[in-house]
Amino acid sequence: MTETVVDFPKNFAEALNNSQLRRNLRAAMDTMGHRRRTLFADLDALEQLRARGDAIRWRALRQLPDLLEQLEKKCTENGIQVHWAETPAEANQICLGIIQRHHASRVIKGKSMVSEEMHLNHFLDEQGIEALETDLGEYIIQLDHETPSHIIVPAIHKNRDQIARLFHEKIPNAPYTEVVEELNAIARKVLREKFFAGEVGVSGVNFAVAETGTLCLVENEGNGRMCTTAPPVHIAVMGLEKVVERLEDVPPLLRLLTGSATGQLITTYFNMITSPRKPGEKDGPKEVHLVLLDNGRSKIWADPELRQTLKCIRCGACMNHCPVYTRLGGHAYGYVYPGPIGSILTPQLEGLDHAGAMATASTFCGACEEVCPVKIPITTILRRLRTESYDKADSPNAVKGHGYKVNRMESLTWKGWALSNATPWLNALNAKVLGLAGPHLSKLPQVGVLKHWGQSRALPPFARKSLHVLAKEKGIADE
Amino acid sequence: MSNARANILARLRAVAPQEPAATPEPDFYPATKLGHAERIAQLKRLMEHMHAEVIVTDPQHWIATLKDVLRARQVNGLLYGPAGPLGAALEANWDSELPPLVGYTEEVEQCKERLFALDAGITSTRGAVADVGALMLWPDANEPRLLSLVPAVHIAVLEATHIHDSLADAIARERWAEGMPTNALLISGPSKTADIELVLTFGVHGPKELIVLVLDDERG
Ligand code: SF4
């Protein structure tokens, strides 16, 4: 994925001019926000719960290497085979190896953002293996060869007419209907057959409990249970930060996750998997594999400030409340994780030189931080990423691709600015010149960067008197 | 592969452990202690909100209630676990005019066709949690996992005394951490989705209907 260069300005302009997309998104994000607020109406209780969630995730991260080893040990004792992968490519190879060992050609998938990060479907497709998404939203976008635009509701950018047309065109014998229930019924029918025939099931993991070696999955549709129960082999892929220490850590996180994501007290299913089929049991996979993916997480972890990024439980609330995301949608960001969490996570995973622009897609309103169930200081991390974009110094914890924005023109400008502000006579001269030019140069000139900036904004006129002069007139000492 | 493990752990171990955080961990929600009747009422209210049908019945007559449930629906058979907690009672009280009882007795590989063709399944439950309104199931050899997933109608039998205040409570009281089963489930209603325009619709991949028979000794 790093090969593709994402053209952010172009993406942003396109998204902003797509009025259908903006209508679809606006309605959905408002609804999700409203549902969340209704569920968490008791703000004191919510604060208490968020503090608990934050503490649980922080405690887990603090002991990360120990917990990963404990998780591995417990899982192995339970009969779950644990694999470690440093890169998406390694994780893909591990999955492929398992699939090939079972001579399987049909893989059914539950929703998993890590598998998106791995581009697993694309990879398997190249190997001649069908990987079918079974979550309704994922199924819809897979039919249209798209990627998720939201981590919880992946097809939220589409409305029912678009889905109706898609089903009618792509699914043999599907009638055209815009009735949501009928669209669901069509998908149910197609996917039932796939569940029946699936040879390997792939899923993500919401929490992995080190204490018991248990993989927890949250879902509403039942497709996740199908994928993890009906086929003879189950492969669970997870980012290595998803581990928690104890079983008792699960209930608070579960409440925070479902409440923050969709305003639900609980999802339809909470699925806890601790072992493959035991002797005498009649169903469930005979083999369960857990793939632990690093992909840069251990590097993020090494820095105490950036580490907070890894507390994320992927609820999507930061997107639903983000003024930038709700206007652009997920695709404009160009990477797997969009919205505020994407803006802090992706540049760290992919490198600032590739995805650093994502850190600029923020108004710093702080809404994301206010709703984040595990209190990730998103704006602080954004600021750090922006700073590092201009920092060439090679400190051990520097973010990959740092200093990519450093260029001579900009450094000269800032040097000049610093000089001017530290040298009173120069500053006074500058102010005079601009002030005198005032009547003629009533606004900032519309050139260079300012041209873009000015296109959709009213530009401020120059003040007749500079701050220095005004301060002097008011008798404030100039230090 | 083993390299990946060593490399990842080496990277993580290279960082000096940080001081244990002084962050206090506040209690998860002020624990509400509910009485027996309140617990049932709360569970019923929340699960019905999620489109489950919850029928409180007394332990002597639950099979009669079940028969009414089945008569009201056109189902081609009822999948059950003959060696499970409900098996004997079902077999002893079955009528020929009812949809046939079909035992889940073979491994899924042997009976997949039949399994996917049946309309209804019945299971016992380990209990329930009142605060969020969900059943707890620990499927096992006698009542396998797909029994509560594949048939379009899932009927679950719950003993009222097994309803906990919360999941946290159930985990602590029943000492789940000492030994988890192959699969543990919470189920709060029939399967649902909101993936198209956030319109909530029920019955996607799992059951379209969930009917809970709560056996309550103290009823009436
Ligand atoms: S950053 Fe916070 S709000 Fe955003 S997805 Fe992660 S946990 Fe949710």
Side-chain angles (χ1 to χ4, degrees), chain A residues 52 59 69 72 86 137 160 184 188 196 225 268 271-272 282-283 298, chain B residues 5 11 13 25-26 108 112 141 146 148 183 195 197 201 204 206:
Chain A
R52 179 82 188 269
R59 167 159 53 77
E69 285 191 301
E72 179 187 44
E86 287 194 86
R160 70 182 79 189
N184 277 335
R188 177 181 169 104
F196 183 81
R225 284 183 66 198
T268 305
N271 185 2
M272 308 174 88
K282 297 179 182 67
D283 56 19
S298 56
Chain B
R5 180 184 189 279
R11 270 197 296 277
R13 296 256 179 240
E25 296 192 21
V108 60
K112 217 172 188 181
L146 292 173
S148 61
N183 183 217
D195 273 350
E197 290 189 10
T201 37
V204 212

PDB file of all heavy atoms in Angstrom, chain A residues 52 59 69 72 86 137 160 184 188 196 225 268 271-272 282-283 298, chain B residues 5 11 13 25-26 108 112 141 146 148 183 195 197 201 204 206:
ATOM      1  N   ARG A  52     -11.874   4.243  33.710  1.00  0.00           N
ATOM      2  CA  ARG A  52     -11.600   2.817  33.898  1.00  0.00           C
ATOM      3  C   ARG A  52     -11.040   2.202  32.620  1.00  0.00           C
ATOM      4  O   ARG A  52     -10.056   1.462  32.640  1.00  0.00           O
ATOM      5  CB  ARG A  52     -12.901   2.123  34.319  1.00  0.00           C
ATOM      6  CG  ARG A  52     -12.812   0.635  34.525  1.00  0.00           C
ATOM      7  CD  ARG A  52     -12.271   0.309  35.905  1.00  0.00           C
ATOM      8  NE  ARG A  52     -12.000  -1.120  36.038  1.00  0.00           N
ATOM      9  CZ  ARG A  52     -12.868  -2.009  36.490  1.00  0.00           C
ATOM     10  NH1 ARG A  52     -14.059  -1.612  36.871  1.00  0.00           N
ATOM     11  NH2 ARG A  52     -12.540  -3.275  36.592  1.00  0.00           N
ATOM     12  N   ARG A  59      -2.759  -0.178  31.569  1.00  0.00           N
ATOM     13  CA  ARG A  59      -2.157  -1.265  32.352  1.00  0.00           C
ATOM     14  C   ARG A  59      -1.749  -2.411  31.430  1.00  0.00           C
ATOM     15  O   ARG A  59      -0.683  -2.998  31.585  1.00  0.00           O
ATOM     16  CB  ARG A  59      -3.167  -1.734  33.418  1.00  0.00           C
ATOM     17  CG  ARG A  59      -2.824  -3.042  34.092  1.00  0.00           C
ATOM     18  CD  ARG A  59      -3.522  -3.220  35.447  1.00  0.00           C
ATOM     19  NE  ARG A  59      -4.973  -3.039  35.396  1.00  0.00           N
ATOM     20  CZ  ARG A  59      -5.834  -3.942  34.931  1.00  0.00           C
ATOM     21  NH1 ARG A  59      -5.390  -5.085  34.470  1.00  0.00           N
ATOM     22  NH2 ARG A  59      -7.121  -3.696  34.924  1.00  0.00           N
ATOM     23  N   GLU A  69       3.321 -12.839  25.869  1.00  0.00           N
ATOM     24  CA  GLU A  69       3.850 -14.186  26.142  1.00  0.00           C
ATOM     25  C   GLU A  69       2.850 -15.028  26.926  1.00  0.00           C
ATOM     26  O   GLU A  69       2.695 -16.215  26.677  1.00  0.00           O
ATOM     27  CB  GLU A  69       5.190 -14.082  26.875  1.00  0.00           C
ATOM     28  CG  GLU A  69       6.308 -13.657  25.934  1.00  0.00           C
ATOM     29  CD  GLU A  69       7.688 -13.805  26.537  1.00  0.00           C
ATOM     30  OE1 GLU A  69       7.946 -13.179  27.593  1.00  0.00           O
ATOM     31  OE2 GLU A  69       8.501 -14.546  25.966  1.00  0.00           O
ATOM     32  N   GLU A  72       0.156 -16.111  24.554  1.00  0.00           N
ATOM     33  CA  GLU A  72       0.649 -17.204  23.714  1.00  0.00           C
ATOM     34  C   GLU A  72       0.646 -18.522  24.487  1.00  0.00           C
ATOM     35  O   GLU A  72       0.200 -19.559  23.985  1.00  0.00           O
ATOM     36  CB  GLU A  72       2.071 -16.882  23.248  1.00  0.00           C
ATOM     37  CG  GLU A  72       2.683 -17.973  22.382  1.00  0.00           C
ATOM     38  CD  GLU A  72       4.157 -17.704  22.079  1.00  0.00           C
ATOM     39  OE1 GLU A  72       4.894 -17.313  23.010  1.00  0.00           O
ATOM     40  OE2 GLU A  72       4.550 -17.881  20.921  1.00  0.00           O
ATOM     41  N   GLU A  86       5.858  -9.835  11.743  1.00  0.00           N
ATOM     42  CA  GLU A  86       6.377  -8.472  11.859  1.00  0.00           C
ATOM     43  C   GLU A  86       5.731  -7.544  10.848  1.00  0.00           C
ATOM     44  O   GLU A  86       5.574  -6.365  11.091  1.00  0.00           O
ATOM     45  CB  GLU A  86       7.895  -8.479  11.650  1.00  0.00           C
ATOM     46  CG  GLU A  86       8.643  -9.069  12.819  1.00  0.00           C
ATOM     47  CD  GLU A  86      10.126  -8.768  12.737  1.00  0.00           C
ATOM     48  OE1 GLU A  86      10.531  -7.686  13.199  1.00  0.00           O
ATOM     49  OE2 GLU A  86      10.864  -9.609  12.197  1.00  0.00           O
ATOM     50  N   GLY A 137     -22.077  -4.942   5.452  1.00  0.00           N
ATOM     51  CA  GLY A 137     -21.425  -3.741   4.938  1.00  0.00           C
ATOM     52  C   GLY A 137     -20.185  -4.082   4.120  1.00  0.00           C
ATOM     53  O   GLY A 137     -19.955  -3.527   3.043  1.00  0.00           O
ATOM     54  N   ARG A 160     -29.259   3.570  -0.073  1.00  0.00           N
ATOM     55  CA  ARG A 160     -29.961   2.352  -0.483  1.00  0.00           C
ATOM     56  C   ARG A 160     -30.130   2.241  -2.005  1.00  0.00           C
ATOM     57  O   ARG A 160     -30.104   1.141  -2.533  1.00  0.00           O
ATOM     58  CB  ARG A 160     -31.291   2.212   0.252  1.00  0.00           C
ATOM     59  CG  ARG A 160     -32.340   3.215  -0.150  1.00  0.00           C
ATOM     60  CD  ARG A 160     -33.588   3.012   0.658  1.00  0.00           C
ATOM     61  NE  ARG A 160     -33.445   3.609   1.999  1.00  0.00           N
ATOM     62  CZ  ARG A 160     -34.314   3.434   2.981  1.00  0.00           C
ATOM     63  NH1 ARG A 160     -35.335   2.639   2.819  1.00  0.00           N
ATOM     64  NH2 ARG A 160     -34.162   4.029   4.138  1.00  0.00           N
ATOM     65  N   ASN A 184     -31.409  -6.909   2.605  1.00  0.00           N
ATOM     66  CA  ASN A 184     -30.822  -7.800   3.609  1.00  0.00           C
ATOM     67  C   ASN A 184     -31.118  -9.252   3.286  1.00  0.00           C
ATOM     68  O   ASN A 184     -30.253 -10.122   3.419  1.00  0.00           O
ATOM     69  CB  ASN A 184     -31.400  -7.498   4.995  1.00  0.00           C
ATOM     70  CG  ASN A 184     -30.680  -6.346   5.654  1.00  0.00           C
ATOM     71  OD1 ASN A 184     -29.533  -6.067   5.342  1.00  0.00           O
ATOM     72  ND2 ASN A 184     -31.357  -5.670   6.554  1.00  0.00           N
ATOM     73  N   ARG A 188     -28.610 -12.304   2.780  1.00  0.00           N
ATOM     74  CA  ARG A 188     -28.687 -13.463   3.667  1.00  0.00           C
ATOM     75  C   ARG A 188     -28.668 -14.747   2.858  1.00  0.00           C
ATOM     76  O   ARG A 188     -27.964 -15.703   3.183  1.00  0.00           O
ATOM     77  CB  ARG A 188     -29.963 -13.388   4.520  1.00  0.00           C
ATOM     78  CG  ARG A 188     -30.149 -14.608   5.429  1.00  0.00           C
ATOM     79  CD  ARG A 188     -31.441 -14.528   6.249  1.00  0.00           C
ATOM     80  NE  ARG A 188     -31.737 -15.793   6.905  1.00  0.00           N
ATOM     81  CZ  ARG A 188     -31.552 -16.023   8.212  1.00  0.00           C
ATOM     82  NH1 ARG A 188     -31.072 -15.102   8.984  1.00  0.00           N
ATOM     83  NH2 ARG A 188     -31.841 -17.204   8.731  1.00  0.00           N
ATOM     84  N   PHE A 196     -22.197 -22.232   4.413  1.00  0.00           N
ATOM     85  CA  PHE A 196     -22.322 -23.678   4.323  1.00  0.00           C
ATOM     86  C   PHE A 196     -21.060 -24.279   3.702  1.00  0.00           C
ATOM     87  O   PHE A 196     -20.559 -25.307   4.120  1.00  0.00           O
ATOM     88  CB  PHE A 196     -23.554 -24.017   3.480  1.00  0.00           C
ATOM     89  CG  PHE A 196     -23.823 -25.471   3.387  1.00  0.00           C
ATOM     90  CD1 PHE A 196     -24.479 -26.131   4.412  1.00  0.00           C
ATOM     91  CD2 PHE A 196     -23.406 -26.201   2.286  1.00  0.00           C
ATOM     92  CE1 PHE A 196     -24.714 -27.486   4.341  1.00  0.00           C
ATOM     93  CE2 PHE A 196     -23.634 -27.548   2.207  1.00  0.00           C
ATOM     94  CZ  PHE A 196     -24.293 -28.201   3.232  1.00  0.00           C
ATOM     95  N   ARG A 225     -19.936 -15.237  14.124  1.00  0.00           N
ATOM     96  CA  ARG A 225     -20.078 -16.568  14.737  1.00  0.00           C
ATOM     97  C   ARG A 225     -20.024 -17.640  13.657  1.00  0.00           C
ATOM     98  O   ARG A 225     -19.431 -18.700  13.863  1.00  0.00           O
ATOM     99  CB  ARG A 225     -21.403 -16.663  15.503  1.00  0.00           C
ATOM    100  CG  ARG A 225     -21.393 -15.942  16.846  1.00  0.00           C
ATOM    101  CD  ARG A 225     -22.719 -16.146  17.580  1.00  0.00           C
ATOM    102  NE  ARG A 225     -22.939 -17.529  17.975  1.00  0.00           N
ATOM    103  CZ  ARG A 225     -24.129 -18.036  18.315  1.00  0.00           C
ATOM    104  NH1 ARG A 225     -25.197 -17.257  18.297  1.00  0.00           N
ATOM    105  NH2 ARG A 225     -24.243 -19.291  18.671  1.00  0.00           N
ATOM    106  N   THR A 268     -25.669  -7.798  19.569  1.00  0.00           N
ATOM    107  CA  THR A 268     -26.456  -9.028  19.587  1.00  0.00           C
ATOM    108  C   THR A 268     -25.619 -10.188  20.126  1.00  0.00           C
ATOM    109  O   THR A 268     -26.079 -10.968  20.944  1.00  0.00           O
ATOM    110  CB  THR A 268     -26.926  -9.396  18.167  1.00  0.00           C
ATOM    111  OG1 THR A 268     -27.628  -8.286  17.640  1.00  0.00           O
ATOM    112  CG2 THR A 268     -27.843 -10.606  18.204  1.00  0.00           C
ATOM    113  N   ASN A 271     -18.893 -12.983  21.510  1.00  0.00           N
ATOM    114  CA  ASN A 271     -18.427 -14.328  21.210  1.00  0.00           C
ATOM    115  C   ASN A 271     -17.047 -14.515  21.825  1.00  0.00           C
ATOM    116  O   ASN A 271     -16.100 -13.825  21.446  1.00  0.00           O
ATOM    117  CB  ASN A 271     -18.384 -14.426  19.669  1.00  0.00           C
ATOM    118  CG  ASN A 271     -18.046 -15.801  19.147  1.00  0.00           C
ATOM    119  OD1 ASN A 271     -17.870 -16.745  19.904  1.00  0.00           O
ATOM    120  ND2 ASN A 271     -17.941 -15.898  17.818  1.00  0.00           N
ATOM    121  N   MET A 272     -16.923 -15.417  22.796  1.00  0.00           N
ATOM    122  CA  MET A 272     -15.635 -15.625  23.459  1.00  0.00           C
ATOM    123  C   MET A 272     -15.115 -17.015  23.105  1.00  0.00           C
ATOM    124  O   MET A 272     -15.737 -18.022  23.439  1.00  0.00           O
ATOM    125  CB  MET A 272     -15.794 -15.490  24.973  1.00  0.00           C
ATOM    126  CG  MET A 272     -16.483 -14.190  25.387  1.00  0.00           C
ATOM    127  SD  MET A 272     -16.831 -14.113  27.162  1.00  0.00           S
ATOM    128  CE  MET A 272     -15.300 -13.398  27.742  1.00  0.00           C
ATOM    129  N   LYS A 282     -19.317 -31.359  18.807  1.00  0.00           N
ATOM    130  CA  LYS A 282     -19.809 -31.703  17.468  1.00  0.00           C
ATOM    131  C   LYS A 282     -19.583 -30.631  16.419  1.00  0.00           C
ATOM    132  O   LYS A 282     -19.714 -30.876  15.231  1.00  0.00           O
ATOM    133  CB  LYS A 282     -21.290 -32.062  17.547  1.00  0.00           C
ATOM    134  CG  LYS A 282     -21.488 -33.300  18.416  1.00  0.00           C
ATOM    135  CD  LYS A 282     -22.923 -33.690  18.568  1.00  0.00           C
ATOM    136  CE  LYS A 282     -23.026 -34.892  19.490  1.00  0.00           C
ATOM    137  NZ  LYS A 282     -22.625 -34.573  20.907  1.00  0.00           N
ATOM    138  N   ASP A 283     -19.276 -29.431  16.866  1.00  0.00           N
ATOM    139  CA  ASP A 283     -18.973 -28.411  15.858  1.00  0.00           C
ATOM    140  C   ASP A 283     -17.922 -27.454  16.400  1.00  0.00           C
ATOM    141  O   ASP A 283     -17.347 -27.681  17.457  1.00  0.00           O
ATOM    142  CB  ASP A 283     -20.246 -27.681  15.399  1.00  0.00           C
ATOM    143  CG  ASP A 283     -21.011 -27.062  16.553  1.00  0.00           C
ATOM    144  OD1 ASP A 283     -20.420 -26.867  17.637  1.00  0.00           O
ATOM    145  OD2 ASP A 283     -22.210 -26.768  16.378  1.00  0.00           O
ATOM    146  N   SER A 298       5.254  -2.114  17.635  1.00  0.00           N
ATOM    147  CA  SER A 298       6.268  -2.161  18.695  1.00  0.00           C
ATOM    148  C   SER A 298       7.096  -0.872  18.697  1.00  0.00           C
ATOM    149  O   SER A 298       7.579  -0.445  19.737  1.00  0.00           O
ATOM    150  CB  SER A 298       7.155  -3.397  18.544  1.00  0.00           C
ATOM    151  OG  SER A 298       7.744  -3.438  17.267  1.00  0.00           O
TER     152      SER A 298
ATOM    153  N   ARG B   5       8.799 -13.621  16.125  1.00  0.00           N
ATOM    154  CA  ARG B   5       8.499 -13.620  17.557  1.00  0.00           C
ATOM    155  C   ARG B   5       9.670 -13.022  18.344  1.00  0.00           C
ATOM    156  O   ARG B   5       9.491 -12.117  19.161  1.00  0.00           O
ATOM    157  CB  ARG B   5       8.235 -15.059  18.014  1.00  0.00           C
ATOM    158  CG  ARG B   5       7.912 -15.180  19.474  1.00  0.00           C
ATOM    159  CD  ARG B   5       7.753 -16.654  19.865  1.00  0.00           C
ATOM    160  NE  ARG B   5       7.234 -16.766  21.221  1.00  0.00           N
ATOM    161  CZ  ARG B   5       8.002 -16.646  22.309  1.00  0.00           C
ATOM    162  NH1 ARG B   5       9.291 -16.414  22.198  1.00  0.00           N
ATOM    163  NH2 ARG B   5       7.448 -16.748  23.512  1.00  0.00           N
ATOM    164  N   ARG B  11      12.285  -6.131  20.569  1.00  0.00           N
ATOM    165  CA  ARG B  11      11.996  -4.695  20.479  1.00  0.00           C
ATOM    166  C   ARG B  11      11.227  -4.220  21.708  1.00  0.00           C
ATOM    167  O   ARG B  11      11.520  -3.166  22.261  1.00  0.00           O
ATOM    168  CB  ARG B  11      11.178  -4.403  19.215  1.00  0.00           C
ATOM    169  CG  ARG B  11      12.026  -4.101  17.990  1.00  0.00           C
ATOM    170  CD  ARG B  11      11.203  -3.417  16.910  1.00  0.00           C
ATOM    171  NE  ARG B  11      10.137  -4.269  16.403  1.00  0.00           N
ATOM    172  CZ  ARG B  11      10.306  -5.203  15.469  1.00  0.00           C
ATOM    173  NH1 ARG B  11      11.498  -5.399  14.930  1.00  0.00           N
ATOM    174  NH2 ARG B  11       9.290  -5.939  15.055  1.00  0.00           N
ATOM    175  N   ARG B  13      11.134  -5.650  24.646  1.00  0.00           N
ATOM    176  CA  ARG B  13      11.920  -5.791  25.879  1.00  0.00           C
ATOM    177  C   ARG B  13      13.033  -4.751  25.960  1.00  0.00           C
ATOM    178  O   ARG B  13      13.573  -4.509  27.034  1.00  0.00           O
ATOM    179  CB  ARG B  13      12.541  -7.191  25.947  1.00  0.00           C
ATOM    180  CG  ARG B  13      11.520  -8.308  26.030  1.00  0.00           C
ATOM    181  CD  ARG B  13      11.434  -8.864  27.439  1.00  0.00           C
ATOM    182  NE  ARG B  13      10.435  -9.932  27.508  1.00  0.00           N
ATOM    183  CZ  ARG B  13       9.358  -9.873  28.305  1.00  0.00           C
ATOM    184  NH1 ARG B  13       9.157  -8.823  29.078  1.00  0.00           N
ATOM    185  NH2 ARG B  13       8.497 -10.856  28.313  1.00  0.00           N
ATOM    186  N   GLU B  25      -8.130   2.877  39.308  1.00  0.00           N
ATOM    187  CA  GLU B  25      -9.122   2.304  38.407  1.00  0.00           C
ATOM    188  C   GLU B  25     -10.486   2.349  39.082  1.00  0.00           C
ATOM    189  O   GLU B  25     -10.791   1.524  39.928  1.00  0.00           O
ATOM    190  CB  GLU B  25      -8.722   0.864  38.042  1.00  0.00           C
ATOM    191  CG  GLU B  25      -7.424   0.830  37.264  1.00  0.00           C
ATOM    192  CD  GLU B  25      -7.128  -0.514  36.625  1.00  0.00           C
ATOM    193  OE1 GLU B  25      -8.074  -1.302  36.429  1.00  0.00           O
ATOM    194  OE2 GLU B  25      -5.951  -0.760  36.323  1.00  0.00           O
ATOM    195  N   PRO B  26     -11.284   3.321  38.722  1.00  0.00           N
ATOM    196  CA  PRO B  26     -12.587   3.446  39.376  1.00  0.00           C
ATOM    197  C   PRO B  26     -13.468   2.240  39.066  1.00  0.00           C
ATOM    198  O   PRO B  26     -13.260   1.557  38.073  1.00  0.00           O
ATOM    199  CB  PRO B  26     -13.174   4.713  38.763  1.00  0.00           C
ATOM    200  CG  PRO B  26     -12.433   4.929  37.500  1.00  0.00           C
ATOM    201  CD  PRO B  26     -11.082   4.334  37.676  1.00  0.00           C
ATOM    202  N   VAL B 108     -20.765 -31.972  12.892  1.00  0.00           N
ATOM    203  CA  VAL B 108     -21.338 -31.090  11.877  1.00  0.00           C
ATOM    204  C   VAL B 108     -21.014 -31.568  10.454  1.00  0.00           C
ATOM    205  O   VAL B 108     -21.839 -31.463   9.546  1.00  0.00           O
ATOM    206  CB  VAL B 108     -20.895 -29.623  12.105  1.00  0.00           C
ATOM    207  CG1 VAL B 108     -19.381 -29.484  12.028  1.00  0.00           C
ATOM    208  CG2 VAL B 108     -21.552 -28.693  11.102  1.00  0.00           C
ATOM    209  N   LYS B 112     -24.406 -31.440   8.135  1.00  0.00           N
ATOM    210  CA  LYS B 112     -24.495 -30.029   7.766  1.00  0.00           C
ATOM    211  C   LYS B 112     -25.758 -29.715   6.953  1.00  0.00           C
ATOM    212  O   LYS B 112     -26.465 -28.750   7.227  1.00  0.00           O
ATOM    213  CB  LYS B 112     -23.257 -29.630   6.963  1.00  0.00           C
ATOM    214  CG  LYS B 112     -22.762 -28.235   7.265  1.00  0.00           C
ATOM    215  CD  LYS B 112     -21.438 -27.994   6.581  1.00  0.00           C
ATOM    216  CE  LYS B 112     -20.821 -26.684   7.027  1.00  0.00           C
ATOM    217  NZ  LYS B 112     -19.549 -26.415   6.374  1.00  0.00           N
ATOM    218  N   ALA B 141     -20.714 -30.318  24.166  1.00  0.00           N
ATOM    219  CA  ALA B 141     -20.886 -31.500  23.320  1.00  0.00           C
ATOM    220  C   ALA B 141     -22.367 -31.847  23.159  1.00  0.00           C
ATOM    221  O   ALA B 141     -22.796 -32.328  22.111  1.00  0.00           O
ATOM    222  CB  ALA B 141     -20.135 -32.680  23.925  1.00  0.00           C
ATOM    223  N   LEU B 146     -23.682 -24.461  16.903  1.00  0.00           N
ATOM    224  CA  LEU B 146     -24.523 -24.029  15.775  1.00  0.00           C
ATOM    225  C   LEU B 146     -26.018 -24.130  16.071  1.00  0.00           C
ATOM    226  O   LEU B 146     -26.844 -23.565  15.357  1.00  0.00           O
ATOM    227  CB  LEU B 146     -24.176 -24.833  14.515  1.00  0.00           C
ATOM    228  CG  LEU B 146     -22.790 -24.562  13.911  1.00  0.00           C
ATOM    229  CD1 LEU B 146     -22.491 -25.536  12.785  1.00  0.00           C
ATOM    230  CD2 LEU B 146     -22.690 -23.122  13.402  1.00  0.00           C
ATOM    231  N   SER B 148     -27.687 -22.699  18.299  1.00  0.00           N
ATOM    232  CA  SER B 148     -28.280 -21.392  18.584  1.00  0.00           C
ATOM    233  C   SER B 148     -28.003 -20.381  17.469  1.00  0.00           C
ATOM    234  O   SER B 148     -28.245 -19.199  17.624  1.00  0.00           O
ATOM    235  CB  SER B 148     -27.721 -20.843  19.898  1.00  0.00           C
ATOM    236  OG  SER B 148     -26.318 -20.678  19.793  1.00  0.00           O
ATOM    237  N   ASN B 183     -16.305 -22.181  23.934  1.00  0.00           N
ATOM    238  CA  ASN B 183     -16.996 -21.000  23.428  1.00  0.00           C
ATOM    239  C   ASN B 183     -18.009 -20.523  24.464  1.00  0.00           C
ATOM    240  O   ASN B 183     -18.775 -21.314  24.987  1.00  0.00           O
ATOM    241  CB  ASN B 183     -17.710 -21.369  22.110  1.00  0.00           C
ATOM    242  CG  ASN B 183     -18.422 -20.204  21.446  1.00  0.00           C
ATOM    243  OD1 ASN B 183     -19.483 -20.367  20.870  1.00  0.00           O
ATOM    244  ND2 ASN B 183     -17.845 -19.026  21.505  1.00  0.00           N
ATOM    245  N   ASP B 195     -26.292  -1.899   8.525  1.00  0.00           N
ATOM    246  CA  ASP B 195     -25.237  -1.529   7.585  1.00  0.00           C
ATOM    247  C   ASP B 195     -25.741  -0.759   6.367  1.00  0.00           C
ATOM    248  O   ASP B 195     -24.955  -0.179   5.640  1.00  0.00           O
ATOM    249  CB  ASP B 195     -24.466  -2.776   7.131  1.00  0.00           C
ATOM    250  CG  ASP B 195     -23.329  -3.099   8.098  1.00  0.00           C
ATOM    251  OD1 ASP B 195     -23.048  -2.254   8.973  1.00  0.00           O
ATOM    252  OD2 ASP B 195     -22.736  -4.177   7.987  1.00  0.00           O
ATOM    253  N   GLU B 197     -27.699   2.375   5.408  1.00  0.00           N
ATOM    254  CA  GLU B 197     -28.251   3.652   5.892  1.00  0.00           C
ATOM    255  C   GLU B 197     -28.612   3.631   7.373  1.00  0.00           C
ATOM    256  O   GLU B 197     -29.511   4.350   7.809  1.00  0.00           O
ATOM    257  CB  GLU B 197     -29.489   4.049   5.076  1.00  0.00           C
ATOM    258  CG  GLU B 197     -29.169   4.448   3.651  1.00  0.00           C
ATOM    259  CD  GLU B 197     -30.374   5.033   2.933  1.00  0.00           C
ATOM    260  OE1 GLU B 197     -31.399   5.312   3.586  1.00  0.00           O
ATOM    261  OE2 GLU B 197     -30.281   5.220   1.712  1.00  0.00           O
ATOM    262  N   THR B 201     -32.428  -3.675  10.822  1.00  0.00           N
ATOM    263  CA  THR B 201     -33.277  -4.775  10.383  1.00  0.00           C
ATOM    264  C   THR B 201     -32.821  -6.043  11.074  1.00  0.00           C
ATOM    265  O   THR B 201     -31.634  -6.225  11.349  1.00  0.00           O
ATOM    266  CB  THR B 201     -33.216  -4.996   8.858  1.00  0.00           C
ATOM    267  OG1 THR B 201     -31.898  -4.758   8.420  1.00  0.00           O
ATOM    268  CG2 THR B 201     -34.162  -4.103   8.115  1.00  0.00           C
ATOM    269  N   VAL B 204     -30.341 -11.220   9.999  1.00  0.00           N
ATOM    270  CA  VAL B 204     -29.386 -11.222   8.893  1.00  0.00           C
ATOM    271  C   VAL B 204     -28.845 -12.641   8.753  1.00  0.00           C
ATOM    272  O   VAL B 204     -29.438 -13.461   8.075  1.00  0.00           O
ATOM    273  CB  VAL B 204     -28.208 -10.246   9.087  1.00  0.00           C
ATOM    274  CG1 VAL B 204     -27.755  -9.720   7.746  1.00  0.00           C
ATOM    275  CG2 VAL B 204     -28.558  -9.154  10.031  1.00  0.00           C
ATOM    276  N   GLY B 206     -27.756 -14.777  11.448  1.00  0.00           N
ATOM    277  CA  GLY B 206     -28.169 -15.669  12.530  1.00  0.00           C
ATOM    278  C   GLY B 206     -29.683 -15.743  12.561  1.00  0.00           C
ATOM    279  O   GLY B 206     -30.356 -15.388  11.594  1.00  0.00           O
TER     280      GLY B 206
END
